[in-house]
Amino acid sequence: MTETPSTVADAHAAADRPLQAVMDGVTAQGWGSPSPCEGWSAADVVAHLVDTQRDFLGGHGVDLGERPDVSADPGAAWREHADRVAAALSDDAVTATAFDGFFGPTTVGATFEQFYVWDMVVHRWDVARAVEADHALTGTELDRVERGADGFGEALHMDGVCRSALEAPADAPREARVLARLGRRV
């Protein structure tokens, strides 16, 4: 599926607003809190988001400038990075760039919207959980997470993506069931 540039930029902005809101509430000590991602602190989750987006976009000719220093201030680094990504995603030439992806022919915009925006939603939950902030996902966010998980198929549980799914009771809240698919316990 090829997304229009405004759709990709809008999807990024919609995921970025609540992510930045969570990050704005994290204290300096909170960044060292363990996240639901085994072996990662809340700051490590931010570094992952920055690095994977930079690697993907850089690999497709997008120069995002110097990497912001996540270790100095993860929230400020994310804001700087997200602003640069938003500018890149507003460029039709960037989002329309075609390439052969993991699942076949695609574009930078479609891949960014399908995976990297999805990753922002999931990792916002991880950061919020790490720092004991409100981590509830909206129905729209849960829809995105489910569509992403469905679209990845077995690749969802490849090394470096998500841990193996966990069992969730059939009567558990939707968020618990969806996140259990990603190896997370609510």
Side-chain angles (χ1 to χ4, degrees), residues 68-181:
D69 186 358
V70 176
S71 64
D73 183 341
W78 174 258
R79 225 175 344 276
E80 182 181 336
H81 166 78
D83 288 348
R84 292 177 190 173
V85 169
L89 295 177
S90 69
D91 183 344
D92 296 1
V94 168
T95 57
T97 300
F99 71 100
D100 287 327
F102 186 79
F103 296 105
T106 188
T107 64
V108 166
T111 300
F112 197 92
E113 197 272 338
Q114 179 185 12
F115 180 75
Y116 296 92
V117 170
W118 178 88
D119 209 33
M120 290 166 64
V121 172
V122 172
H123 286 311
R124 174 178 57 84
W125 185 89
D126 293 329
V127 171
R129 184 74 187 258
V131 300
E132 299 179 2
D134 178 12
H135 54 271
L137 298 176
T138 67
T140 300
E141 290 169 329
L142 289 169
D143 290 345
R144 174 176 293 285
V145 172
E146 276 190 309
R147 277 193 316 272
D150 292 344
F152 299 141
E154 291 182 19
L156 178 65
H157 300 290
M158 289 174 45
D159 187 41
V161 182
C162 288
R163 287 187 302 222
S164 297
L166 302 173
E167 290 292 323
D171 63 346
R174 180 179 180 211
E175 180 175 83
R177 292 188 320 271
V178 170
L179 291 168
R181 289 181 66 189

Side-chain angles (χ1 to χ4, degrees), residues 12-33:
H12 174 264
D16 184 45
R17 281 187 297 276
L19 179 57
Q20 283 194 21
V22 167
M23 289 186 193
D24 287 347
V26 179
T27 65
Q29 297 78 18
W31 288 115
S33 299

